[in-house]
Amino acid sequence: MDNKKGKLFVISGPSGSGKGELCKKVLETKLAEVSISATTRAPRNNEVDGVNYFYITKEEFEKRIGNGEFLEYAQYNGNFYGTPKDYVVKCLEKGINIILEIDVQGGLRVKNMIPEAVLIMVSAPDYNTLVARLAGRGDTSEDDMAERLERSHWEYSQLPLYNYLVINETGKLEKAVATVCEIISGEAHEECKTQNHRDFAESFYKA
Ligand code: 5GP
């Protein structure tokens, strides 16, 4: 019997990096499943319960924390977000690769618990592009946007703790998707290793 376990991948990136669209495309390739998180944040206009997130109340979230139902959880801009443990564990046992699209705090917690997890940071090519993408979404308030941009500085400071950096250039989503698929398939991706991008954060804000 084949007892090969699935591999766990974390995809993080500052708000506006395009990681959501990227994960959707990777999901279509069937190389991996994407875990659906629970959140106390209100759904955005185009979001659907059970598809984008499971939208639950703070009370329910706290109950699930108490029951040990989350693999990890974090607070982001005043809301809770958590990864349901059961689903992830079952996928891995069945040999299914799984992607967690979670924030950097969550990514680092996962790495502590599961050292063999592969952490991928998705980034816009430069800061101006990140700002333009966030503003262009039209579903984020000015205050929320400012907080998300401010937070990106800390997120990039953690880049060395991630395994790979994938630049999601505007109009080249397919290229970023192909790169992530290659990483999932275990193909060598030397040029994306974060150790080869030590100055990235500095140049990102300067450009
Ligand atoms: P958004 O409000 O833009 O959907 O998500 C805010 C941030 O929370 C994003 O960085 C997203 O990746 C992250 N996030 C979503 N689900 C989870 C989760 O289950 N755990 C953690 N730690 N972060 C999450």
Side-chain angles (χ1 to χ4, degrees), residues 19 37 41 44 53 72 74 81-83 101-103 106 148:
K19 60 188 182 304
S37 296
R41 164 167 85 57
R44 297 186 186 125
Y53 286 105
E72 63 74 41
Y81 297 80
T83 305
E101 186 205 324
I102 61 177
D103 85 326
R148 283 169 186 253

Side-chain angles (χ1 to χ4, degrees), residues 25-60:
K25 292 274 177 197
V26 174
L27 187 62
E28 286 170 13
T29 68
K30 310 268 185 224
L31 280 175
E33 294 288 331
V34 177
S35 155
I36 301 171
S37 296
T39 184
T40 60
R41 164 167 85 57
R44 297 186 186 125
N45 285 342
N46 55 347
E47 290 182 342
V48 178
D49 188 35
V51 175
N52 302 89
Y53 286 105
F54 296 108
Y55 300 93
I56 62 175
T57 61
K58 190 159 174 266
E59 290 69 34
E60 176 62 23

Side-chain angles (χ1 to χ4, degrees), residues 84-154:
K85 195 196 290 180
D86 227 35
Y87 179 71
V88 174
V89 170
K90 279 192 185 136
C91 282
L92 295 176
E93 303 249 299
K94 283 192 215 156
I96 298 170
N97 295 328
I98 184 130
I99 296 174
L100 310 182
E101 186 205 324
I102 61 177
D103 85 326
V104 174
Q105 300 171 81
L108 299 180
R109 278 186 198 138
V110 168
K111 189 79 181 172
N112 270 334
M113 278 184 283
I114 308 169
E116 61 275 23
V118 175
L119 270 48
I120 303 170
M121 180 89 80
V122 177
S123 176
D126 53 65
Y127 186 68
N128 288 338
T129 306
L130 185 73
V131 175
R133 283 188 193 166
L134 254 183
R137 272 189 351 196
D139 58 8
T140 312
S141 71
E142 294 234 329
D143 281 355
D144 195 18
M145 221 175 96
E147 277 186 55
R148 283 169 186 253
L149 289 170
E150 178 57 34
R151 193 183 179 92
S152 70
H153 290 267
W154 176 77

